[in-house]
Amino acid sequence: MKKLIIARYFIVMLLFIAIQPLKAQMNKLTTAEKQAGWKLLFDGKTTDGWRGAFMDTFPKKGWEISEGCLMVEPSNGAESTNGGDIVTKQLYDDFELTVDFKLTKGANSGIKYFVDNQQPKPGAPRSAYGLEFQLLDDDVHPDAKLGKIGNRKLGSLYDLIPAPSDKPLHPIGEWNTAKIISKGAHVEHWLNGQKLISYERGGDAFNTLVAESKYKDIPGFGLIEKGCILLQDHGNKVYFKNIKIRKIATASLGNKYGVVSYTFRNEFAKNVPATLDYIKALGITNIEFSSLFGKTATELRKLLDERGMVCTSFGVNYNDLNNKTAEVGANAKTLGASFVRVAWIPHNDSIGFTIEDAKKATEDFNKAGKLLKEDYNLTFCYHNHGYEFAKYEQGTFFDYLMDNTNPAYVSFELDLLWAFHPGANPAQLIKKYPGRFKLMHVKDLKKGVKGDFSGKTPVENDVAVGTGQLNIPEIFKMAKSSSIQYYYIEDESNNTSTQVPISLIYLKKLLEN
């Protein structure tokens, strides 16, 4: 019996030791999280970084720090009549936020974001306005039966978009993890590792939902550029801990320029993480991916996020665009892209590009572009490749594509080399078709090379930007006042290690001047 007691003692001690690292991680950041840019919004001991929603200081009552948790004190379920909501002192725009929360029976609360810190103090107590990740005991609290089709239940975008009924929710009294991702106009709600909803702030669907909600009379609801993060006091006991946030890199003016992954296709094929590190070391954080390089979109996005890099455009082939449109859209959104691009229309090389090819492409682009825009809020772009500039009637096949695609669903990516090679003037194309070009491939053609309509040239004819035949300053003078959003260096040569840095310096000077 004595040996059994001793054995049990050691087992208990081993279990105690084993769980200590887990306890020690509460309200702490791991080394990996710090490297990825995560910051704590609550250290488990103080309320530094927070204040009352309509106050300059933290509430003197209604909130308590207990055993490393931030707790709302109960006050008979009344909204903001005790301590009131609390908000971050700092404002956020593009971010990823995670919050561990625990509800008590019948509790109501919420995590709000894009809360306007300048909104006037109300005459009667109420919660501050903002987009809300609803926290609620769906089984007990009466608010679960209000609103429309469950849009006031836990995980929903409160009063606007319902969370799915099969969400992975842990029981009342146990911890759950909420995650909110906001990047540009795109927002996602996650619960315990599963995405619940996604939407586009300011999109037609969003605006319609707001117009039919309790927020219909609030001008510009949910549309401010930056706002506070808010934890709601709805008069019920709710616990919060491990409140973490990180800023998400976006393609701002600072990374309006980028690179096409095809430039480093050989390097990516060998080692994706190392190639991303190399590209970032060059000072480039914006990539147009033309392949997933053996990764899933989720895996590739994780690698980008860890490095503070972004994917703004996702290139796919013609067949995938038309036959796997939903998969293409989902992958592009996962990567964080705003654009989907196709760079080649299948045709018979021996015959050349024909009007039949152009007509089919027009029909396919309009159809796929409409689906990508309406279902995924993505902009489809066709990338010229030379053969489209062959003569057709009074113009070219490229003119036909422009005239017969729907501008609401089809835009264009201007490849400078593949416009110049067949004899077109890139600057004049931008002028002729205002509003149609959204992206640009920045590249130059070796001096002395004569072009044609094949859409092909040896890779050694790609030279550093500014050293070839193209009048790059003239093109950029027109481009900078156009609808072009991103400029990607593409270098298909075998000299990228020497040419890309030269192209980058030249491109940055053009954009800065």
Side-chain angles (χ1 to χ4, degrees):
M1 178 61 72
K2 186 175 181 180
K3 290 182 178 180
L4 180 60
I5 292 173
I6 294 174
R8 287 177 176 173
Y9 171 79
F10 278 109
I11 290 174
V12 170
M13 289 302 296
L14 287 171
L15 289 172
F16 176 78
I17 293 171
I19 66 173
Q20 290 311 297
L22 295 177
K23 285 186 176 180
Q25 291 303 312
M26 188 168 73
N27 302 312
K28 299 286 185 180
L29 294 174
T30 65
T31 300
E33 285 176 326
K34 292 177 181 178
Q35 292 175 345
W38 287 95
K39 304 291 184 183
L40 278 176
L41 292 182
F42 173 59
D43 61 7
K45 301 175 183 177
T46 70
T47 58
D48 293 348
W50 295 84
R51 62 175 178 81
F54 300 106
M55 305 168 61
D56 295 327
T57 60
F58 195 84
K60 295 181 179 180
K61 63 175 183 176
W63 291 84
E64 177 186 338
I65 296 176
S66 176
E67 298 182 351
C69 300
L70 189 57
M71 183 189 75
V72 186
E73 295 181 344
S75 56
N76 299 317
E79 183 178 331
S80 297
T81 59
N82 193 18
D85 301 339
I86 59 172
V87 297
T88 56
K89 294 179 180 178
Q90 187 169 344
L91 306 182
Y92 298 92
D93 46 12
D94 296 295
F95 63 86
E96 181 174 355
L97 170 74
T98 65
V99 180
D100 288 351
F101 67 91
K102 181 170 66 175
L103 300 177
T104 55
K105 186 174 181 180
N108 184 354
S109 186
I111 304 166
K112 296 188 180 184
Y113 49 102
F114 288 108
V115 175
D116 187 354
N117 68 335
Q118 299 298 318
Q119 60 184 283
K121 184 176 181 178
R126 65 160 172 80
S127 182
Y129 294 133
L131 300 165
E132 180 177 356
F133 185 116
Q134 170 74 317
L135 303 182
L136 194 77
D137 182 345
D138 292 344
D139 294 331
V140 176
H141 199 284
D143 211 27
K145 297 180 180 179
L146 301 178
K148 297 179 181 179
I149 57 174
N151 64 6
R152 294 190 180 185
K153 292 185 177 182
L154 191 145
S156 300
L157 176 61
Y158 179 76
D159 211 46
L160 297 173
I161 303 175
S165 58
D166 61 347
K167 58 199 172 197
L169 177 63
H170 299 157
I172 297 299
E174 295 186 12
W175 288 99
N176 290 270
T177 300
K179 179 166 70 173
I180 301 167
I181 299 175
S182 173
K183 183 176 181 182
H186 185 72
V187 182
E188 298 174 0
H189 284 192
W190 292 65
L191 179 66
N192 297 324
Q194 179 177 310
K195 185 164 70 173
L196 302 180
I197 64 169
S198 63
Y199 67 96
E200 309 299 321
R201 290 196 305 140
D204 291 342
F206 176 83
N207 293 336
T208 298
L209 289 169
V210 172
E212 298 173 351
S213 75
K214 63 186 292 183
Y215 305 114
K216 61 183 179 181
D217 296 324
I218 303 173
F221 174 76
L223 299 181
I224 59 174
E225 293 185 8
K226 287 187 175 184
C228 305
I229 306 298
L230 177 151
L231 300 180
Q232 188 182 41
D233 167 16
H234 209 295
N236 302 124
K237 182 182 288 188
V238 178
Y239 298 85
F240 300 97
K241 67 178 182 180
N242 295 328
I243 308 170
K244 307 174 185 179
I245 196 167
R246 66 170 172 173
K247 295 181 180 180
I248 297 176
T250 56
S252 61
L253 291 176
N255 57 4
K256 196 176 181 69
Y257 57 86
V259 69
V260 185
S261 67
Y262 191 76
T263 299
F264 299 104
R265 58 197 178 279
N266 297 323
E267 293 83 352
F268 272 120
K270 296 176 183 177
N271 191 321
V272 174
T275 305
L276 290 175
D277 290 337
Y278 173 72
I279 293 172
K280 186 174 182 181
L282 291 173
I284 300 172
T285 57
N286 181 8
I287 301 180
E288 179 185 57
F289 275 96
S290 306
S291 169
L292 296 177
F293 297 102
K295 304 287 185 183
T296 65
T298 300
E299 290 170 339
L300 195 53
R301 172 64 181 274
K302 183 175 184 293
L303 292 172
L304 289 170
D305 286 348
E306 288 172 349
R307 291 161 175 78
M309 303 175 78
V310 295
C311 167
T312 48
S313 178
F314 180 44
V316 299
N317 64 47
Y318 187 94
N319 289 331
D320 283 353
L321 173 76
N322 296 295
N323 301 321
K324 300 180 181 178
T325 315
E327 180 181 329
V328 166
N331 282 340
K333 295 305 289 188
T334 297
L335 288 170
S338 301
F339 297 90
V340 168
R341 178 262 292 166
V342 162
W344 189 269
I345 299 172
H347 60 277
N348 189 325
D349 285 345
S350 61
I351 298 174
F353 195 68
T354 67
I355 187 57
E356 287 74 22
D357 298 322
K359 287 181 177 178
K360 185 177 188 309
T362 296
E363 180 181 349
D364 289 340
F365 289 166
N366 283 333
K367 180 180 178 181
K370 184 175 188 293
L371 182 62
L372 289 172
K373 174 60 70 176
E374 293 182 348
D375 289 4
Y376 299 94
N377 195 35
L378 292 165
T379 298
F380 169 69
C381 289
Y382 173 62
H383 162 299
N384 60 283
H385 222 290
Y387 48 78
E388 319 90 331
F389 292 98
K391 295 296 182 182
Y392 173 70
E393 294 185 345
Q394 301 303 311
T396 66
F397 290 118
F398 189 79
D399 294 322
Y400 180 89
L401 292 171
M402 276 286 188
D403 294 342
N404 291 277
T405 50
N406 187 339
Y409 303 123
V410 180
S411 296
F412 288 78
E413 179 174 60
L414 179 59
D415 186 295
L416 300 185
L417 185 152
W418 291 118
F420 181 86
H421 190 268
N425 183 321
Q428 290 305 309
L429 285 172
I430 297 171
K431 181 179 180 180
K432 183 177 181 179
Y433 294 109
R436 295 305 300 274
F437 293 104
K438 306 297 184 186
L439 309 172
M440 179 187 285
H441 275 192
V442 184
K443 52 207 301 190
D444 211 340
L445 181 65
K446 185 178 180 180
K447 292 180 179 179
V449 174
K450 293 184 178 181
D452 53 36
F453 300 117
S454 67
K456 298 176 183 178
T457 192
V459 296
E460 57 265 24
N461 289 337
D462 274 35
V463 295
V465 177
T467 67
Q469 299 184 50
L470 279 74
N471 187 341
I472 303 294
E474 177 193 34
I475 296 169
F476 269 75
K477 183 178 180 180
M478 190 67 67
K480 288 170 69 176
S481 60
S482 74
S483 57
I484 295 173
Q485 296 183 33
Y486 302 123
Y487 301 82
Y488 306 108
I489 294 171
E490 184 178 41
D491 190 324
E492 300 184 34
S493 76
N494 296 317
N495 303 311
T496 56
S497 61
T498 55
Q499 291 188 176
V500 169
I502 295 172
S503 295
L504 179 60
I505 293 171
Y506 190 80
L507 174 58
K508 289 172 71 174
K509 286 183 178 178
L510 288 170
L511 291 174
E512 291 169 357
N513 294 332

